[in-house]
Amino acid sequence: MSEKTKFVILLGLLIASLALLWFANNAANNVVLH
Amino acid sequence: MKLARVNTFLLVAILLINGYIVILPVIPKVTFRLQEHNTQHIKQLEQSVSSPIAANTARPTENRLVAPSMVFDQQIFEGSSMATLRKGLWHRPSTSTPDKGSNTVIVGHRLTYSNPRGTLYSLDKVHTGDDIAVWWKGKRYHYTVTETKVVTPDQTSVEAPTEKPQLTIYTCTPLWLPKDRLVVIASLKDIQ
């Protein structure tokens, strides 16, 4: 596998990880009854 | 060669982010397990909640919530917006305060990946009959837990005024998919 292909895969995984972190944090943030 | 270094950096970043996501929720649990064996600290908390206060005892200057069953002693913050929750416990401004009777409502995050990480993480360790104290404007309001329940987020009646002095504390539940609210209700026992 070329370094370029690895870069594209890893970049995708990084974005997915950040999205997961954002989602996990937001899911817990709306604590107040509404 | 340069791209290979970038790839290594990306891999490390991915591992760190995912490690943080997985490990962080476990940390408050481990901390609680370690603290619940610290009998001296728990005894101190229990005494600060229910023992008579000597005249020369220093009282906290800020408002605080003390709950020995979850090894907990933290400041209560006041503010008009939900942003106050970022500091820790938030006294809901639309509800009463301990010195005015009725229903005093305090909320806090169960778990977040930003600050504060887990203010009321161990609220599920509080059971009926447990003692809780609120230090409010230099006075200690001693409560006994009368009820714990899980409600849906639209059950705002939890925050409704009450005839008798009451303390209501709530946070998100369950831990991983927080779709409901865990509510602890306590009635006033004495004021010192």
Side-chain angles (χ1 to χ4, degrees):
Chain A
M1 194 187 296
S2 73
E3 289 297 330
K4 216 171 184 177
T5 313
K6 275 186 195 171
F7 174 76
V8 172
I9 293 168
L10 288 169
L11 196 64
L13 284 173
L14 181 69
I15 292 165
S17 301
L18 287 170
L20 182 65
L21 182 61
W22 180 85
F23 177 78
N25 198 44
N26 271 24
N29 259 341
N30 193 14
V31 64
V32 172
L33 294 167
H34 48 83
Chain B
M1 193 66 191
K2 219 174 182 181
L3 201 55
R5 276 188 188 175
V6 172
N7 285 345
T8 309
F9 173 78
L10 286 177
L11 185 63
V12 170
I14 291 163
L15 290 174
L16 285 175
I17 292 167
N18 286 285
Y20 182 68
I21 292 170
V22 173
I23 291 168
L24 186 109
V26 183
I27 293 172
K29 190 167 270 188
V30 173
T31 312
F32 179 80
R33 289 268 177 255
L34 292 173
Q35 284 179 332
E36 73 176 347
H37 296 297
N38 187 346
T39 47
Q40 198 180 347
H41 180 52
I42 293 171
K43 205 174 176 185
Q44 274 177 352
L45 287 176
E46 283 170 350
Q47 281 175 347
S48 75
V49 165
S50 53
S51 297
I53 306 166
N56 58 351
T57 306
R59 290 165 182 261
T61 50
E62 73 275 13
N63 302 325
R64 298 190 77 80
L65 177 75
V66 187
S69 45
M70 56 172 176
V71 201
F72 187 89
D73 180 2
Q74 282 193 25
Q75 189 175 348
I76 303 163
F77 294 93
E78 289 193 273
S80 55
S81 78
M82 250 180 77
T84 315
L85 274 168
R86 289 185 204 141
K87 295 180 185 173
L89 293 175
W90 180 33
H91 166 247
R92 293 279 284 145
S94 55
T95 67
S96 188
T97 52
D99 53 334
K100 290 175 184 158
S102 194
N103 191 11
T104 302
V105 180
I106 294 166
V107 299
H109 284 305
R110 186 80 185 273
L111 176 77
T112 63
Y113 286 89
S114 50
N115 273 331
R117 298 213 165 84
T119 311
L120 289 175
Y121 185 94
S122 303
L123 191 64
D124 60 336
K125 302 291 185 291
V126 177
H127 301 291
T128 305
D130 288 351
D131 288 320
I132 294 177
V134 172
W135 285 92
W136 194 267
K137 294 180 180 171
K139 280 188 177 175
R140 188 188 69 188
Y141 297 81
H142 175 198
Y143 298 87
T144 302
V145 176
T146 53
E147 188 184 0
T148 62
K149 60 183 177 182
V150 173
V151 301
T152 52
D154 59 351
Q155 282 186 260
T156 51
S157 58
V158 165
E159 294 190 345
T162 52
E163 267 184 42
K164 289 181 180 174
Q166 178 180 298
L167 174 69
T168 303
I169 308 167
Y170 70 80
T171 190
C172 294
T173 200
L175 194 59
W176 295 99
L177 285 166
K179 61 180 179 63
D180 294 325
R181 303 294 175 264
L182 174 62
V183 184
V184 168
I185 296 168
S187 62
L188 185 67
K189 204 171 178 185
D190 59 67
I191 306 168
Q192 277 207 325

